[in-house]
mmCIF file with all atom_site columns, all heavy atoms in Angstrom:
data_model
loop_
_atom_site.group_PDB
_atom_site.id
_atom_site.type_symbol
_atom_site.label_atom_id
_atom_site.label_alt_id
_atom_site.label_comp_id
_atom_site.label_asym_id
_atom_site.label_entity_id
_atom_site.label_seq_id
_atom_site.pdbx_PDB_ins_code
_atom_site.Cartn_x
_atom_site.Cartn_y
_atom_site.Cartn_z
_atom_site.occupancy
_atom_site.B_iso_or_equiv
_atom_site.pdbx_formal_charge
_atom_site.auth_seq_id
_atom_site.auth_comp_id
_atom_site.auth_asym_id
_atom_site.auth_atom_id
_atom_site.pdbx_PDB_model_num
ATOM 1  N N   . GLN A 1 8   ? -50.604 -4.621  44.082 1.00 0.00 ? 8   GLN A N   1
ATOM 2  C CA  . GLN A 1 8   ? -51.142 -3.360  43.481 1.00 0.00 ? 8   GLN A CA  1
ATOM 3  C C   . GLN A 1 8   ? -49.959 -2.387  43.409 1.00 0.00 ? 8   GLN A C   1
ATOM 4  O O   . GLN A 1 8   ? -49.142 -2.204  44.348 1.00 0.00 ? 8   GLN A O   1
ATOM 5  C CB  . GLN A 1 8   ? -52.172 -2.824  44.399 1.00 0.00 ? 8   GLN A CB  1
ATOM 6  C CG  . GLN A 1 8   ? -52.705 -1.425  44.112 1.00 0.00 ? 8   GLN A CG  1
ATOM 7  C CD  . GLN A 1 8   ? -53.314 -0.822  45.319 1.00 0.00 ? 8   GLN A CD  1
ATOM 8  O OE1 . GLN A 1 8   ? -53.266 -1.307  46.471 1.00 0.00 ? 8   GLN A OE1 1
ATOM 9  N NE2 . GLN A 1 8   ? -53.903 0.386   45.122 1.00 0.00 ? 8   GLN A NE2 1
ATOM 10 N N   . ARG A 1 27  ? -46.534 -11.152 64.814 1.00 0.00 ? 27  ARG A N   1
ATOM 11 C CA  . ARG A 1 27  ? -45.407 -10.652 65.557 1.00 0.00 ? 27  ARG A CA  1
ATOM 12 C C   . ARG A 1 27  ? -44.890 -9.326  65.162 1.00 0.00 ? 27  ARG A C   1
ATOM 13 O O   . ARG A 1 27  ? -44.130 -8.675  65.868 1.00 0.00 ? 27  ARG A O   1
ATOM 14 C CB  . ARG A 1 27  ? -44.234 -11.676 65.555 1.00 0.00 ? 27  ARG A CB  1
ATOM 15 C CG  . ARG A 1 27  ? -44.511 -13.033 66.110 1.00 0.00 ? 27  ARG A CG  1
ATOM 16 C CD  . ARG A 1 27  ? -44.303 -13.116 67.590 1.00 0.00 ? 27  ARG A CD  1
ATOM 17 N NE  . ARG A 1 27  ? -43.133 -12.452 68.016 1.00 0.00 ? 27  ARG A NE  1
ATOM 18 C CZ  . ARG A 1 27  ? -42.838 -12.138 69.286 1.00 0.00 ? 27  ARG A CZ  1
ATOM 19 N NH1 . ARG A 1 27  ? -43.770 -12.420 70.196 1.00 0.00 ? 27  ARG A NH1 1
ATOM 20 N NH2 . ARG A 1 27  ? -41.696 -11.566 69.658 1.00 0.00 ? 27  ARG A NH2 1
ATOM 21 N N   . SER A 1 60  ? -48.230 -6.783  54.741 1.00 0.00 ? 60  SER A N   1
ATOM 22 C CA  . SER A 1 60  ? -48.154 -5.984  53.546 1.00 0.00 ? 60  SER A CA  1
ATOM 23 C C   . SER A 1 60  ? -46.740 -5.450  53.330 1.00 0.00 ? 60  SER A C   1
ATOM 24 O O   . SER A 1 60  ? -46.152 -4.880  54.275 1.00 0.00 ? 60  SER A O   1
ATOM 25 C CB  . SER A 1 60  ? -49.177 -4.859  53.649 1.00 0.00 ? 60  SER A CB  1
ATOM 26 O OG  . SER A 1 60  ? -48.835 -3.795  52.844 1.00 0.00 ? 60  SER A OG  1
ATOM 27 N N   . PRO A 1 92  ? -37.653 -3.891  66.812 1.00 0.00 ? 92  PRO A N   1
ATOM 28 C CA  . PRO A 1 92  ? -38.714 -2.946  66.474 1.00 0.00 ? 92  PRO A CA  1
ATOM 29 C C   . PRO A 1 92  ? -38.249 -1.529  66.892 1.00 0.00 ? 92  PRO A C   1
ATOM 30 O O   . PRO A 1 92  ? -37.375 -1.334  67.681 1.00 0.00 ? 92  PRO A O   1
ATOM 31 C CB  . PRO A 1 92  ? -39.878 -3.417  67.377 1.00 0.00 ? 92  PRO A CB  1
ATOM 32 C CG  . PRO A 1 92  ? -39.467 -4.777  67.905 1.00 0.00 ? 92  PRO A CG  1
ATOM 33 C CD  . PRO A 1 92  ? -38.014 -4.838  67.849 1.00 0.00 ? 92  PRO A CD  1
ATOM 34 N N   . ASN A 1 135 ? -40.714 12.776  42.076 1.00 0.00 ? 135 ASN A N   1
ATOM 35 C CA  . ASN A 1 135 ? -41.721 13.557  41.406 1.00 0.00 ? 135 ASN A CA  1
ATOM 36 C C   . ASN A 1 135 ? -43.109 13.140  41.919 1.00 0.00 ? 135 ASN A C   1
ATOM 37 O O   . ASN A 1 135 ? -43.208 12.231  42.739 1.00 0.00 ? 135 ASN A O   1
ATOM 38 C CB  . ASN A 1 135 ? -41.576 13.341  39.891 1.00 0.00 ? 135 ASN A CB  1
ATOM 39 C CG  . ASN A 1 135 ? -41.670 11.882  39.499 1.00 0.00 ? 135 ASN A CG  1
ATOM 40 O OD1 . ASN A 1 135 ? -42.564 11.136  40.029 1.00 0.00 ? 135 ASN A OD1 1
ATOM 41 N ND2 . ASN A 1 135 ? -40.828 11.401  38.650 1.00 0.00 ? 135 ASN A ND2 1
ATOM 42 N N   . ILE A 1 154 ? -45.014 17.655  52.186 1.00 0.00 ? 154 ILE A N   1
ATOM 43 C CA  . ILE A 1 154 ? -44.536 16.857  51.063 1.00 0.00 ? 154 ILE A CA  1
ATOM 44 C C   . ILE A 1 154 ? -43.625 17.678  50.163 1.00 0.00 ? 154 ILE A C   1
ATOM 45 O O   . ILE A 1 154 ? -43.835 18.910  49.915 1.00 0.00 ? 154 ILE A O   1
ATOM 46 C CB  . ILE A 1 154 ? -45.745 16.404  50.206 1.00 0.00 ? 154 ILE A CB  1
ATOM 47 C CG1 . ILE A 1 154 ? -46.653 15.520  51.059 1.00 0.00 ? 154 ILE A CG1 1
ATOM 48 C CG2 . ILE A 1 154 ? -45.291 15.563  48.973 1.00 0.00 ? 154 ILE A CG2 1
ATOM 49 C CD1 . ILE A 1 154 ? -47.948 15.103  50.349 1.00 0.00 ? 154 ILE A CD1 1
ATOM 50 N N   . ILE A 1 181 ? -38.599 20.107  68.758 1.00 0.00 ? 181 ILE A N   1
ATOM 51 C CA  . ILE A 1 181 ? -38.566 18.775  68.191 1.00 0.00 ? 181 ILE A CA  1
ATOM 52 C C   . ILE A 1 181 ? -37.761 17.868  69.176 1.00 0.00 ? 181 ILE A C   1
ATOM 53 O O   . ILE A 1 181 ? -36.632 18.163  69.471 1.00 0.00 ? 181 ILE A O   1
ATOM 54 C CB  . ILE A 1 181 ? -37.889 18.759  66.817 1.00 0.00 ? 181 ILE A CB  1
ATOM 55 C CG1 . ILE A 1 181 ? -38.629 19.709  65.883 1.00 0.00 ? 181 ILE A CG1 1
ATOM 56 C CG2 . ILE A 1 181 ? -37.888 17.358  66.233 1.00 0.00 ? 181 ILE A CG2 1
ATOM 57 C CD1 . ILE A 1 181 ? -37.959 19.921  64.543 1.00 0.00 ? 181 ILE A CD1 1
ATOM 58 N N   . LEU A 1 199 ? -28.009 17.705  59.624 1.00 0.00 ? 199 LEU A N   1
ATOM 59 C CA  . LEU A 1 199 ? -28.798 18.895  60.008 1.00 0.00 ? 199 LEU A CA  1
ATOM 60 C C   . LEU A 1 199 ? -29.215 18.833  61.512 1.00 0.00 ? 199 LEU A C   1
ATOM 61 O O   . LEU A 1 199 ? -29.022 19.863  62.164 1.00 0.00 ? 199 LEU A O   1
ATOM 62 C CB  . LEU A 1 199 ? -30.066 18.917  59.126 1.00 0.00 ? 199 LEU A CB  1
ATOM 63 C CG  . LEU A 1 199 ? -31.085 20.039  59.338 1.00 0.00 ? 199 LEU A CG  1
ATOM 64 C CD1 . LEU A 1 199 ? -30.434 21.361  59.094 1.00 0.00 ? 199 LEU A CD1 1
ATOM 65 C CD2 . LEU A 1 199 ? -32.303 19.828  58.380 1.00 0.00 ? 199 LEU A CD2 1
ATOM 66 N N   . LEU A 1 211 ? -31.190 1.669   58.744 1.00 0.00 ? 211 LEU A N   1
ATOM 67 C CA  . LEU A 1 211 ? -30.200 1.328   57.738 1.00 0.00 ? 211 LEU A CA  1
ATOM 68 C C   . LEU A 1 211 ? -30.511 0.123   56.938 1.00 0.00 ? 211 LEU A C   1
ATOM 69 O O   . LEU A 1 211 ? -31.248 -0.775  57.308 1.00 0.00 ? 211 LEU A O   1
ATOM 70 C CB  . LEU A 1 211 ? -28.820 1.149   58.499 1.00 0.00 ? 211 LEU A CB  1
ATOM 71 C CG  . LEU A 1 211 ? -28.325 2.338   59.295 1.00 0.00 ? 211 LEU A CG  1
ATOM 72 C CD1 . LEU A 1 211 ? -26.981 2.132   59.787 1.00 0.00 ? 211 LEU A CD1 1
ATOM 73 C CD2 . LEU A 1 211 ? -28.458 3.632   58.529 1.00 0.00 ? 211 LEU A CD2 1
ATOM 74 N N   . SER A 1 233 ? -17.983 -2.025  64.500 1.00 0.00 ? 233 SER A N   1
ATOM 75 C CA  . SER A 1 233 ? -18.888 -2.775  63.734 1.00 0.00 ? 233 SER A CA  1
ATOM 76 C C   . SER A 1 233 ? -20.122 -3.204  64.530 1.00 0.00 ? 233 SER A C   1
ATOM 77 O O   . SER A 1 233 ? -19.998 -3.718  65.678 1.00 0.00 ? 233 SER A O   1
ATOM 78 C CB  . SER A 1 233 ? -18.206 -4.055  63.242 1.00 0.00 ? 233 SER A CB  1
ATOM 79 O OG  . SER A 1 233 ? -17.481 -3.809  62.066 1.00 0.00 ? 233 SER A OG  1
#
Side-chain angles (χ1 to χ4, degrees):
Chain A
Q8 173 202 7
R27 299 276 315 165
S60 157
N135 57 45
I154 299 173
I181 302 172
L199 180 60
L211 303 188
S233 274

